[in-house]
Amino acid sequence: NFTEQQIYSRCWLDVEKNEMRDIIVDRFDDQMVWLETISAKQATHRNCQWIFMEGVWRRRDASQPYGVREQPFREQAVPIPEAPKDFLLEDKMTDDMTGSEIVRRIKRLRSLGAKTSRERVALHMRIALPFANLVVMALGIPFALRMGHKGRTQTFSYALGLAFLYWGMTSICQSFGEQGRMPAWIAAWAANGTFSLVALWTLRKVS
């Protein structure tokens, strides 16, 4: 049953001919413990199924040396649900995609066992960024109240500096999130949360 956690590796794909070469499929359980691997020099999609040729099927088997059973084969039908076109991803930047398109890409990447960090961060940023203007405005209010009509240039400089700090933190967190070094939702909302707290603290001091 190849419908659980799967990771596909392939070196060459020909959608028109319905073929792949040098393909490896790893299957894991829900805890991401390796179950089996099937590799083949070539795979052909015909009659709605994949036929692997000239390969080896490796399975976990405690009775075998090193706990692995190897079964070479010349031709083997493998129940993989994806068709050749399903392995293709639309060449489109996340900034040019709608929210629903990003969600569909995330689902497709997950089905292929690929990383989704960049797409998940982009999805959360779609929700977080509209609040950026409110956060920046909230940061400027305490300085405006403190300075009044005096020191407008200084007030503007403070507000501008805070805006740069805000966008700088947003960019850094976004980069960490896309690299998988930070959860996507934290990467998207960290700057909003941090600078909202700063705005509340400065407002409290002014009042």
Side-chain angles (χ1 to χ4, degrees):
N1 181 5
F2 261 75
T3 60
E4 298 181 17
Q5 302 285 341
Q6 299 178 102
I7 296 178
Y8 302 91
S9 301
R10 61 193 181 282
C11 297
W12 183 84
L13 169 67
D14 189 330
V15 177
E16 293 183 358
K17 294 183 178 180
N18 293 331
E19 292 180 352
M20 287 191 287
R21 292 180 184 173
D22 300 319
I23 183 172
I24 300 173
V25 181
D26 296 298
R27 188 168 73 90
F28 302 85
D29 63 15
D30 293 337
Q31 284 71 46
M32 292 305 292
V33 176
W34 178 81
L35 297 176
E36 56 188 4
T37 296
I38 182 169
S39 57
K41 292 182 179 179
Q42 185 174 350
T44 302
H45 190 259
R46 59 175 183 260
N47 298 327
C48 298
Q49 67 175 346
W50 283 100
I51 306 298
F52 281 35
M53 291 165 281
E54 301 296 331
V56 178
W57 201 316
R58 297 177 177 87
R59 300 181 179 88
R60 289 179 60 186
D61 189 339
S63 66
Q64 297 297 312
Y66 306 106
V68 177
R69 175 188 292 274
E70 291 193 359
Q71 178 184 344
F73 60 84
R74 296 190 63 181
E75 188 171 299
Q76 176 72 47
V78 180
I80 296 177
E82 289 82 10
K85 62 181 179 61
D86 295 327
F87 289 103
L88 293 177
L89 293 176
E90 186 179 2
D91 187 14
K92 194 175 183 181
M93 299 295 292
T94 52
D95 290 341
D96 301 325
M97 301 172 70
T98 65
S100 58
E101 286 176 332
I102 295 176
V103 170
R104 286 197 297 269
R105 175 174 286 188
I106 290 172
K107 290 180 179 179
R108 179 177 293 185
L109 287 172
R110 282 176 174 169
S111 71
L112 299 177
K115 293 182 179 180
T116 61
S117 300
R118 182 182 298 274
E119 286 74 18
R120 285 186 290 112
V121 170
L123 185 61
H124 283 284
M125 292 292 286
R126 288 294 178 91
I127 305 171
L129 283 179
F131 293 93
N133 292 332
L134 294 176
V135 173
V136 173
M137 289 173 59
L139 286 169
I141 290 173
F143 294 103
L145 293 176
R146 180 180 296 178
M147 297 295 182
H149 293 289
K150 302 177 182 179
R152 288 182 177 179
T153 302
Q154 187 177 7
T155 302
F156 177 77
S157 299
Y158 280 138
L160 189 63
L162 286 171
F164 276 116
L165 285 174
Y166 174 86
W167 288 112
M169 182 177 180
T170 298
S171 299
I172 292 172
C173 290
Q174 182 178 0
S175 177
F176 282 172
E178 290 176 350
Q179 296 172 28
R181 299 167 63 181
M182 180 183 292
W185 69 272
I186 293 180
W189 288 95
N192 279 356
T194 300
F195 283 90
S196 293
L197 292 175
V198 172
L200 290 173
W201 179 73
T202 51
L203 275 171
R204 191 172 180 181
K205 286 191 65 177
V206 170
S207 60

